[in-house]
Amino acid sequence: MATKQELVGGLEFLIQEGKRIGAGLDDAGWAKVQDGDGWKNKEVLAHVGAIGTIVVPFITNIANAAPAADGAAGMDIDALNAQLVGARVGKSVQELVDEIDAAYTGVIGWVKGQPDDFFQQKRTMAGYVDVPISDLMQRMVVLHGLSHIYSAYSATMYS
């Protein structure tokens, strides 16, 4: 099970790498399309920032669900992602980086304020069955965000 310290460290690393990629790509790099989802790299940055703004209510909803209930039931992830990214289409790269910093810094404060037993609760979400909330958060927030950032870098490496 991921500890609160591991969650905080992962979120801090996500912020760091969001800033790094924000400073590391030129206009051509931001315009490149990723293989995985068809988004341009700038849209990927928007997605990562947007996810940071919904982590707290999302994880809270999972925690409030019955342990055997699927926390993803009835959720249209594609529509949600399209809405979140679409709302940020006019933002600059720096504004998106600033959103990542602010959103995930807020998540860090929330994580630190939760009792340890909150993250030990086991829940089900999509294909994850009976998994501690801390592990769900580590996979669906930290690793998810880092995988998108890595994919954005990868898209610029291979033309």
Side-chain angles (χ1 to χ4, degrees):
M1 180 182 91
T3 65
K4 283 172 57 172
Q5 182 179 4
E6 290 169 337
L7 287 173
V8 168
L11 292 163
E12 289 172 341
F13 188 61
L14 181 57
I15 293 168
Q16 172 189 307
E17 292 308 304
K19 290 177 179 179
R20 186 184 320 273
I21 197 169
L25 297 183
D26 59 14
D27 289 342
W30 288 115
K32 288 206 178 207
V33 174
Q34 289 196 39
D35 289 336
D37 51 32
W39 283 337
K40 294 177 183 171
N41 282 336
K42 186 177 175 192
E43 294 167 320
V44 169
L45 197 66
H47 171 70
V48 172
I51 294 302
T53 69
I54 65 169
V55 169
V56 172
F58 183 71
I59 297 298
T60 301
N61 285 339
I62 292 171
N64 290 334
D70 184 347
M75 184 183 305
D76 184 341
I77 296 290
D78 293 334
L80 177 62
N81 283 333
Q83 178 186 7
L84 292 171
V85 172
R88 288 157 175 80
V89 73
K91 288 189 173 190
S92 70
V93 169
Q94 187 58 54
E95 288 171 320
L96 296 172
V97 169
D98 291 345
E99 182 174 40
I100 288 171
D101 188 7
Y104 290 101
T105 297
V107 174
I108 289 168
W110 177 80
V111 167
K112 288 179 177 179
Q114 295 305 305
D116 290 335
D117 61 349
F118 175 85
F119 294 105
Q120 295 170 5
Q121 300 175 79
K122 292 186 176 182
R123 292 295 185 269
T124 295
M125 179 71 185
Y128 297 118
V129 178
D130 203 26
V131 175
I133 289 174
S134 65
D135 287 348
L136 288 172
M137 192 168 168
Q138 187 77 306
R139 296 169 193 176
M140 296 172 18
V141 178
V142 175
L143 295 175
H144 176 119
L146 290 170
S147 72
H148 276 301
I149 290 171
Y150 177 74
S151 292
Y153 277 129
S154 294
T156 63
M157 293 175 12
Y158 307 105
S159 297

